[in-house]
Amino acid sequence: MRQTARYLLGAAGVLLLLTTGCGRGRIVYPEAKVEPVSEVLHGVEVTDNYRWLEDTESPEVQAWIEKQNKITRRQLDRFPQREAILARLKAMYDEPSLIHPDPCHKGNRYFFWQRQPGQNHSVLYMTRGHWDGNRTVLLDPNTWSKDGSVSCDYTHITDDGTLMAYGKVEGGNENATLYVLDLDTGEHLRDTIPFTRWCSVAWLPDKSGFYYTRYPDPRQGGVAEGDEFYYVKMYFHALGTDWHNDPLVWGEGKPKEYLCWAGVAPDRRHLFITGTTDWNKNDVHVVDLEDPAREIRPVVEGYDANFGFTAIDGMFYFETTLNAPRRAVYRCPADDPRPENWQLILAEPDGVLRDWTIINRQFVVHVMKDAYSRLFIYSLDGDLLKEIELPTLGSAGGLSGEWDGTELFFDFSSWAYPDTVFRHDMVTGELEVIDRLKIDADLTQYETRQVWTTSKDGTRVPMFIVAKKGLVLDGANPTELSGYGGFNVSMQPGFSRPRLIWLDAGGVFAIACLRGGGEYGREWHEAGRREHKQNVFDDFIAAAEYLIAEQYTNPDRLAITGGSNGGLLMGAAFTQRPDLFRAVICGVPLLDMLRYHKLTVGDIWSGEYGTADDPEQFRTLLAYSPYQHVRPGTAYPAILMKTSAQDTRVAPAHALKMTALLQASTASDPNERPILLHVQEKTGHGSGRPLEMSLGLMADDFTWLMWQLGMFDDGKRDICGCN
């Protein structure tokens, strides 16, 4: 029996009057016409009034976006504090950036990125013999475009450090073109390969060619329109040949959302191919590069678990979540990797095994406990040799080094400990700082608390709260709460220069470690995905209620922020509990969860969310999908909806449709709690964005939060010297 929709989506556009304060003028939102599209999905009728906004290339939609952007700019630019905030941001970044990634050692050469003052992008440098030797510029994306819209997407360097494949992308759309650079001569080879989005490159040890992943050429057909960013496959490219003739190696017959990548092990003999359609499990195949036939053989197949392999000295070493949700490490003979030959080397830790590598024929292991990092060194037989003492409770990452070398590089930061790159000598045990972010601030004036909230079902959820020392718990502090809760991503302590602006103005920053993340292993992730996704939103709402109950803030002084999967979190939070928040920043969000899998590359996330094509998964999605839960006449918070014109990962249509619907539906006084949309041109989901643009977007965010939380109205607050 057909169920008639309680899920009708909105009404016509409304006239909004914004008439108070600082020259604010009367604003009329652009008309968003109502063109109902009704569908019956698994017996439920669902109507979408703004489906027409999905065609973001149409002149009508472009004109509507332009009008929305003008309104948003007018509102944010009218505050003189925005210019003061932007000036401080520019001063903060008028220093060389931290070298990144940690120096990558290839042969007798080191490679690292660093941005100099005045540059939009970091530059790739090379030194010879020692990490702090004389620098040679290899890639300078700042010279690729006048406005910084062209950037480097990836680099893959040969083991001897003489050749590099890299990807160049325009406007942050992630659809890179691959080039090959001779690092001795500085000359480009003739090899150029398009459609290398999210490209994996595995060089042969003799440098005669490489395995790589490539998406279909839409000019040649073969895939349905709109599927150009699916059906990734692996090919082999011999240097000097035409890429059109590259033989297909892997991926034929796989589902369209299948992802795969490859890497050559440190023994330079074994190539591992990893493939998956689900973020919580994968298969691994291997190629013996000394075998003339280069036969592809399965290593692990069909397990409901994640695996990650490497190989040295005739042995495979691998991590897995099989019977070990917090991960364990095994080894087996490379010539007979059957399960009966697996030997446990590192059992599940007291915490989560987040990362590991082999350096100096020893394990370097990163363990996360309650969202903090610890680093250990073990022998290859699993004997604990030492713990590397970290400066404070914080986050380590970027473990790098050579399996037979003696140098370990890693980065570390915490809420009040600036980003720092360390070098650890695996023989002497010496730990030295090789680079530290320069900060003109007294970081001792800030403090961090880790607290525990209780979610709806009784689960304890950790949260970090950062503020200036001496914070008075009077229930009136302007507070920003953020979260993510998905894809096994962990919210660990990390330093942020821009956050100092917020803290110095008297703001409180909180971040909740929600289910769906990786803070406590696979079980924590599983508890926040697919049919359990509502747990993520319950955790976040509990975190907000904690901040109010403990007198940090109140609903009129509480803002929430998040992007991408965190944008979905924002949408669910403000539609389920609009009374709990004053303001929202909802960035590059997924919001129409009944159609996300039909827009851009959404179907590759079906393992995380499920899809509306499945009857049971449809009902789960319908129960929380933010777009389907906007109710006319509801007093919604002030919302800044943000997206990017060239976002090929999360379709801008989510933000556009939600804006039109909210503007037509909210009962809040538009003079106090407007719904604004900002569509950024010449950028995508976020990667490769020029610094100048990033700083402007940060200034917008702070302006929005401070305006909405009343911080500009309090003359006692120092907003970057502009009260």
Side-chain angles (χ1 to χ4, degrees):
M1 179 177 179
R2 178 182 297 184
Q3 300 177 27
T4 303
R6 299 179 329 174
Y7 305 100
L8 296 179
L9 302 184
V14 294
L15 180 68
L16 295 184
L17 302 179
L18 297 180
T19 58
T20 63
C22 205
R24 212 180 320 181
R26 178 180 173 125
I27 301 175
V28 178
Y29 276 105
E31 179 184 359
K33 66 182 180 181
V34 175
E35 289 188 348
V37 177
S38 295
E39 300 171 289
V40 177
L41 302 175
H42 310 294
V44 179
E45 184 178 6
V46 180
T47 299
D48 182 351
N49 284 338
Y50 301 104
R51 183 74 58 85
W52 64 277
L53 284 170
E54 291 183 5
D55 184 9
T56 55
E57 297 301 316
S58 77
E60 184 179 20
V61 175
Q62 287 290 309
W64 185 82
I65 290 172
E66 183 178 359
K67 293 174 183 177
Q68 292 280 359
N69 275 344
K70 286 181 178 178
I71 293 170
T72 300
R73 284 265 53 91
R74 189 184 311 132
Q75 288 301 296
L76 296 177
D77 290 347
R78 66 190 175 84
F79 293 101
Q81 293 92 336
R82 183 188 181 277
E83 287 304 310
I85 291 168
L86 182 58
R88 186 174 177 196
L89 285 167
K90 289 180 177 179
M92 284 179 168
Y93 284 84
D94 193 26
E95 293 281 354
S97 69
L98 192 74
I99 62 173
H100 180 80
D102 307 314
C104 173
H105 194 186
K106 298 284 188 179
N108 71 334
R109 305 175 181 195
Y110 295 81
F111 302 86
F112 57 89
W113 293 87
Q114 189 172 45
R115 184 192 58 79
Q116 303 300 327
Q119 293 181 328
N120 268 316
H121 297 287
S122 293
V123 174
L124 180 61
Y125 296 96
M126 178 181 72
T127 65
R128 301 173 187 265
H130 197 266
W131 65 265
D132 65 351
N134 293 325
R135 298 181 177 189
T136 298
V137 174
L138 298 180
L139 294 177
D140 184 359
N142 298 288
T143 64
W144 295 349
S145 61
K146 291 183 179 180
D147 60 1
S149 60
V150 182
S151 60
C152 184
D153 197 49
Y154 55 80
T155 57
H156 299 279
I157 302 171
T158 57
D159 281 341
D160 66 353
T162 60
L163 292 176
M164 175 175 65
Y166 72 94
K168 184 184 291 188
V169 66
E170 296 186 15
N173 65 13
E174 299 181 314
N175 191 20
T177 297
L178 182 150
Y179 300 88
V180 179
L181 182 65
D182 185 319
L183 302 184
D184 284 330
T185 66
E187 300 294 325
H188 281 88
L189 306 188
R190 58 174 289 189
D191 309 82
T192 302
I193 307 175
F195 314 114
T196 55
R197 176 186 180 92
W198 301 339
C199 189
S200 168
V201 174
W203 283 96
L204 290 181
D206 66 4
K207 305 182 297 183
S208 61
F210 50 81
Y211 293 82
Y212 72 102
T213 53
R214 188 179 80 225
Y215 283 79
D217 182 349
R219 299 168 300 187
Q220 295 182 346
V223 297
E225 184 178 354
D227 279 353
E228 295 86 0
F229 293 142
Y230 292 103
Y231 296 106
V232 65
K233 293 179 175 59
M234 187 168 294
Y235 299 84
F236 178 76
H237 178 74
L239 286 184
T241 64
D242 186 341
W243 68 271
H244 292 89
N245 301 322
D246 288 349
L248 174 65
V249 173
W250 187 253
E252 188 66 32
K254 299 295 184 181
K256 76 173 189 177
E257 65 272 17
Y258 181 81
L259 298 175
C260 60
W261 54 95
V264 176
D267 66 0
R268 301 185 180 184
R269 174 173 177 174
H270 293 96
L271 171 86
F272 291 106
I273 300 174
T274 302
T276 186
T277 58
D278 188 318
W279 299 93
N280 259 0
K281 58 185 178 183
N282 62 271
D283 297 334
V284 179
H285 291 70
V286 67
V287 177
D288 185 342
L289 296 177
E290 295 183 0
D291 174 11
R294 293 186 185 168
E295 177 187 1
I296 300 176
R297 298 179 289 109
V299 181
V300 289
E301 218 173 14
Y303 288 98
D304 184 19
N306 285 122
F307 291 86
F309 273 77
T310 191
I312 63 169
D313 295 336
M315 302 294 289
F316 287 171
Y317 292 87
F318 62 97
E319 67 171 64
T320 181
T321 57
L322 184 65
N323 302 318
R326 299 189 308 277
R327 300 182 182 269
V329 176
Y330 290 78
R331 71 180 174 196
C332 61
D335 58 1
D336 191 2
R338 293 176 298 167
E340 52 264 38
N341 292 329
W342 294 359
Q343 178 187 3
L344 178 64
I345 301 298
L346 299 176
E348 272 187 304
D350 180 21
V352 180
L353 196 161
R354 291 299 298 174
D355 192 14
W356 62 284
T357 188
I358 297 175
I359 300 175
N360 194 38
R361 287 188 167 85
Q362 297 171 336
F363 288 118
V364 180
V365 179
H366 173 201
V367 173
M368 183 176 63
K369 172 74 174 188
D370 291 335
Y372 287 113
S373 293
R374 298 178 71 182
L375 294 182
F376 300 93
I377 298 177
Y378 291 85
S379 73
L380 291 184
D381 292 324
D383 298 320
L384 177 62
L385 302 178
K386 68 174 293 185
E387 178 175 2
I388 299 175
E389 294 296 330
L390 299 176
T392 184
L393 298 178
S395 304
L399 307 182
S400 68
E402 295 182 294
W403 71 279
D404 56 354
T406 62
E407 293 177 305
L408 161 68
F409 296 97
F410 66 92
D411 57 66
F412 179 85
S413 75
S414 192
W415 302 116
Y417 190 96
D419 301 88
T420 303
V421 178
F422 288 93
R423 174 189 175 274
H424 179 265
D425 191 306
M426 298 288 289
V427 176
T428 68
E430 178 186 5
L431 183 67
E432 65 171 320
V433 172
I434 66 170
D435 197 16
R436 175 175 286 142
L437 199 62
K438 295 178 176 62
I439 298 296
D440 183 18
D442 176 11
L443 300 182
T444 63
Q445 63 182 313
Y446 313 106
E447 65 179 357
T448 303
R449 306 173 189 179
Q450 186 177 36
V451 301
W452 298 83
T453 67
T454 302
S455 194
K456 185 176 181 179
D457 63 358
T459 300
R460 296 178 72 240
V461 178
M463 176 168 59
F464 294 102
I465 303 174
V466 189
K468 272 195 168 184
K469 291 179 179 178
L471 180 72
V472 178
L473 299 182
D474 59 2
N477 298 294
T479 300
E480 176 190 355
L481 171 63
S482 188
Y484 190 78
F487 295 94
N488 201 38
V489 173
S490 299
M491 297 291 102
Q492 288 192 261
F495 186 76
S496 168
R497 281 177 282 186
R499 190 177 298 129
L500 298 181
I501 294 175
W502 179 253
L503 299 177
D504 288 347
V508 176
F509 176 77
I511 189 164
C513 303
L514 313 170
R515 281 177 285 186
E519 290 86 353
Y520 295 99
R522 176 170 175 158
E523 292 173 343
W524 191 255
H525 178 206
E526 290 279 7
R529 73 174 193 147
R530 302 187 79 156
E531 68 270 21
H532 305 300
K533 191 66 180 176
Q534 182 60 40
N535 286 336
V536 181
F537 314 137
D538 290 342
D539 292 353
F540 191 72
I541 289 168
E545 291 175 331
Y546 176 96
L547 292 168
I548 294 168
E550 296 298 318
Q551 293 291 296
Y552 283 92
T553 192
N554 65 70
D556 204 45
R557 284 283 179 118
L558 178 58
I560 55 174
T561 62
S564 196
N565 175 74
L568 167 61
L569 172 64
M570 297 301 104
F574 72 69
T575 53
Q576 293 183 21
R577 288 296 306 275
D579 60 304
L580 204 54
F581 317 108
R582 170 58 191 247
V584 182
I585 295 178
C586 187
V588 290
L590 295 99
L591 295 167
D592 184 352
M593 296 305 290
L594 302 188
R595 287 183 57 76
Y596 83 90
H597 63 300
K598 298 180 181 294
L599 303 173
T600 60
V601 297
D603 217 17
I604 67 173
W605 308 318
S606 58
E608 184 77 8
Y609 301 122
T611 77
D613 294 339
D614 178 274
E616 291 303 314
Q617 294 172 4
F618 161 76
R619 296 182 191 281
T620 296
L621 292 165
L622 183 60
Y624 73 77
S625 179
Y627 187 60
Q628 280 71 33
H629 283 271
V630 174
R631 301 288 180 255
T634 300
Y636 287 105
I639 299 169
L640 176 60
M641 196 72 65
K642 301 172 59 176
T643 188
S644 299
Q646 297 195 64
D647 192 339
T648 58
R649 196 181 306 190
V650 176
H654 288 277
L656 273 55
K657 292 184 359 175
M658 193 68 160
T659 298
L661 179 56
L662 285 166
Q663 288 177 352
S665 302
T666 185
S668 296
D669 181 352
N671 295 314
E672 301 298 329
R673 302 186 181 192
I675 309 295
L676 300 183
L677 171 68
H678 183 210
V679 181
Q680 181 66 51
E681 298 294 330
K682 294 187 177 182
T683 187
H685 199 63
S687 62
R689 184 174 289 158
L691 178 64
E692 183 178 7
M693 182 187 295
S694 296
L695 297 182
L697 294 174
M698 291 180 203
D700 287 345
D701 289 351
F702 284 127
T703 301
W704 171 259
L705 293 175
M706 292 177 180
W707 164 29
Q708 285 299 315
L709 298 191
M711 298 168 76
F712 292 159
D713 300 329
D714 186 351
K716 296 180 181 179
R717 296 185 185 278
D718 182 11
I719 310 299
C720 301
C722 182
N723 291 329

